[in-house]
Amino acid sequence: MTTIAHPKDLLTMIGEDLGSSPWLDVSQERINLFADATDDHQWIHVDVERAKTGPFGGPIAHGYLTLSLLIPLWSQILVIEDMDMAVNYGLNKVRFPAPVPAGSRIQVSATLADAEEVAGGGIQATIDTVMRAEGADKPVCIAQMVHRYYKG
């Protein structure tokens, strides 16, 4: 975990490896709850028996579930102590090179790609992230996140 005192500290950290998150379990139950929340009940996610005969050999997490898990994992990589508000400003690029099998564990590593001051006294940080499933050959998600941090 990387801890900094103030959002402006990011301006001096461009290019730095910020570290990796702990592992997070992606259970079939989590996948089913996401399917219920999003009304996406495609069989490759929720029909365990049918998914065993499918292209991935078992059920896999939704791509958007995988993407949504960036936030809880990211929050365990960077801590800004003196901050009033953080805003998820968006994503520049997202790819899912490999699936996340149900029952696997995932982890995110992050590098600060850029940081700049923005209107309103904020710092905009662009973060390159790579998510891996334990034991997998390829990443399961590569995303460039953009966050804004404010201290009043």
Side-chain angles (χ1 to χ4, degrees), residues 11 19 33 45 50 59 78 80 95 97 101 107 110 145:
L11 297 171
L33 288 169
H45 306 304
R50 185 175 177 196
L78 178 68
I80 303 173
R95 295 290 181 267
Q107 178 186 54
M145 303 186 306

Side-chain angles (χ1 to χ4, degrees), residues 11 16 26 33 40 53 56 60 68 71 88 92 99 108 111-112 114 116 119 126 130 133 142:
L11 297 171
E16 285 191 27
V26 182
L33 288 169
D40 181 355
T53 65
F56 306 108
I60 61 169
S68 73
I71 296 302
N88 177 352
N92 288 338
V108 169
T111 302
L112 182 62
D114 195 17
E116 61 186 336
T126 303
V130 178
I142 299 170

Side-chain angles (χ1 to χ4, degrees), residues 58-105:
I60 61 169
H62 305 70
Y64 284 118
L65 169 56
T66 302
L67 185 61
S68 73
L69 294 173
L70 276 175
I71 296 302
L73 293 170
W74 166 244
S75 69
Q76 297 180 62
I77 294 174
L78 178 68
V79 172
I80 303 173
E81 293 177 333
D82 192 17
M83 175 183 65
D84 292 331
M85 179 178 65
V87 176
N88 177 352
Y89 195 66
L91 299 155
N92 288 338
K93 183 176 181 180
V94 178
R95 295 290 181 267
F96 302 108
V100 176
S104 62
R105 296 184 339 145

Side-chain angles (χ1 to χ4, degrees), residues 25-37 41 45-46 48 59-62 65 101-104:
D25 294 322
V26 182
S27 66
Q28 184 63 53
E29 179 183 12
R30 183 185 294 266
I31 293 168
N32 292 345
L33 288 169
F34 188 84
D36 289 343
H41 294 92
H45 306 304
V46 298
V48 173
I60 61 169
H62 305 70
L65 169 56
S104 62

